[in-house]
Amino acid sequence: GRGAWKHWNEFIRGTDKTENKKIREILVPTMDTARYKFLMNLCITNNIPILFVGSTGTGKSVYVQDKLMNELPKEQFVPSFVNFSAQTSANMTQNIIMSKLDRRRKGVFGPPINKMAVIFVDDMNMPQKEIYGAQPPIELLRQYFDHGNWYDIKDTSKIILQDVLFMSAMGPPGGGRNDVTPRFMRHFNIISMTPFSDETMNRIFTTLTNTYMKIQGFTSDYIAVGQTIVHATLEVYKNAMTSLLPTPAKSHYVFNLRDFSRVILGVC
């Protein structure tokens, strides 16, 4: 038989289930969601740690949460979420992760037997660097990646972790985010999240406005208005990105997809 290339969009046919959902909770299936989910599947089934890197508003956390909460078979996987901040310490990290695992036998911890714990670390590069330039929470995770164990915080006895898979997301370095040591990064399959194409943006937000209008009982004449609103917002958004650049006094003037969705949701 001859092989054939399939377009990613074929994966998302018939998946537009937007009924009975609040407009804020809808995840519109696009070519991007199909790609990232496919790669996530591949990595999770083969126990390969995966790291998403992308700027704010590209949907890193949303995709992963949707995948872990709604699509992973509950009988095989135990998902949990850890959020790093500038103030996160190594001890906090160890305590949070240990609280999600069971003691299997002396010195060995893991999820319930025959299950896999999938731990998603969001904003991984946020923790502040210490005086020598390392990020303690990351060094702790690296200890696990390199050696498969930690040490008990109280009595320093060895703790072995079993059946744990880490997934992670972070923004590019800059602002409060730091660059992460390559000794840690090398363990991950790194996937870059690109900003959406215009086509994707239109698809996402037109779906949202149309869904909203259906829910609110607008007549079909209004559907075109929704499209116009999205097109107009996109035009303003792109102009803002190119002309309204951050200045030293207003360094936070950076527009991202979150602002875009606020406008559309605000209109709704």
Side-chain angles (χ1 to χ4, degrees):
R2 291 175 55 201
W5 291 97
K6 272 172 110 167
H7 198 284
W8 287 108
N9 281 341
E10 290 186 32
F11 285 89
I12 58 175
R13 289 233 169 94
T15 49
D16 287 348
K17 307 241 180 339
T18 49
E19 291 83 51
N20 318 327
K21 272 195 177 171
K22 291 198 183 70
I23 181 166
R24 286 177 183 280
E25 290 161 10
I26 294 170
L27 182 60
V28 181
T30 61
M31 194 161 85
D32 297 304
T33 58
R35 285 181 215 174
Y36 298 132
K37 292 234 169 112
F38 180 83
L39 291 167
M40 265 190 270
N41 255 347
L42 205 60
C43 288
I44 292 171
T45 40
N46 294 293
N47 289 345
I48 295 170
I50 185 172
L51 166 63
F52 288 109
V53 182
S55 43
T56 313
T58 40
K60 301 182 292 293
S61 321
V62 182
Y63 292 156
V64 178
Q65 279 168 0
D66 186 59
K67 176 87 201 147
L68 298 193
M69 297 313 291
N70 305 327
E71 294 184 15
L72 282 189
K74 297 272 183 282
E75 60 281 355
Q76 272 176 292
F77 297 97
V78 187
S80 47
F81 301 89
V82 179
N83 276 339
F84 276 6
S85 74
Q87 307 310 319
T88 308
S89 70
N91 280 9
M92 277 157 64
T93 307
Q94 183 165 333
N95 287 332
I96 292 169
I97 291 171
M98 292 306 290
S99 72
K100 301 179 190 290
L101 303 174
D102 303 342
R103 180 168 181 259
R104 289 184 166 179
R105 54 183 189 278
K106 192 175 187 317
V108 179
F109 290 79
I113 291 291
N114 295 333
K115 290 195 177 186
M116 191 76 187
V118 183
I119 298 172
F120 175 57
V121 180
D122 204 2
D123 279 327
M124 190 177 71
N125 54 349
M126 289 290 260
Q128 272 174 350
K129 294 190 168 187
E130 37 92 308
I131 182 170
Y132 302 107
Q135 293 166 281
I138 282 178
E139 291 305 312
L140 178 83
L141 293 178
R142 186 165 80 85
Q143 162 81 20
Y144 162 73
F145 277 111
D146 283 340
H147 305 286
N149 71 281
W150 284 340
Y151 296 95
D152 189 299
I153 290 173
K154 294 189 188 67
D155 65 6
T156 70
S157 59
K158 194 173 187 177
I159 294 173
I160 294 170
L161 304 182
Q162 289 180 338
D163 298 329
V164 176
L165 174 66
F166 281 99
M167 298 175 68
S168 187
M170 64 186 207
R177 302 160 191 276
N178 303 294
D179 49 330
V180 177
T181 166
R183 289 177 173 187
F184 180 61
M185 299 281 274
R186 73 189 182 90
H187 291 286
F188 288 91
N189 204 332
I190 301 175
I191 292 172
S192 168
M193 308 281 268
T194 49
F196 295 144
S197 64
D198 293 1
E199 179 200 356
T200 304
M201 297 273 274
N202 279 324
R203 180 187 168 113
I204 292 175
F205 292 109
T206 310
T207 307
L208 292 184
T209 49
N210 291 354
T211 308
Y212 176 79
M213 291 186 183
K214 275 192 199 110
I215 296 172
Q216 295 299 321
F218 280 86
T219 55
S220 52
D221 328 343
Y222 285 95
I223 297 292
V225 178
Q227 286 176 335
T228 315
I229 291 172
V230 174
H231 280 296
T233 310
L234 186 60
E235 222 164 281
V236 174
Y237 173 71
K238 287 167 78 173
N239 280 326
M241 299 269 278
T242 48
S243 340
L244 302 174
L245 297 171
T247 62
K250 301 215 164 105
S251 56
H252 58 283
Y253 268 36
V254 183
F255 298 96
N256 60 47
L257 269 185
R258 228 166 260 165
D259 307 306
F260 196 112
S261 61
R262 280 190 195 122
V263 172
I264 300 294
L265 292 169
V267 170
C268 290

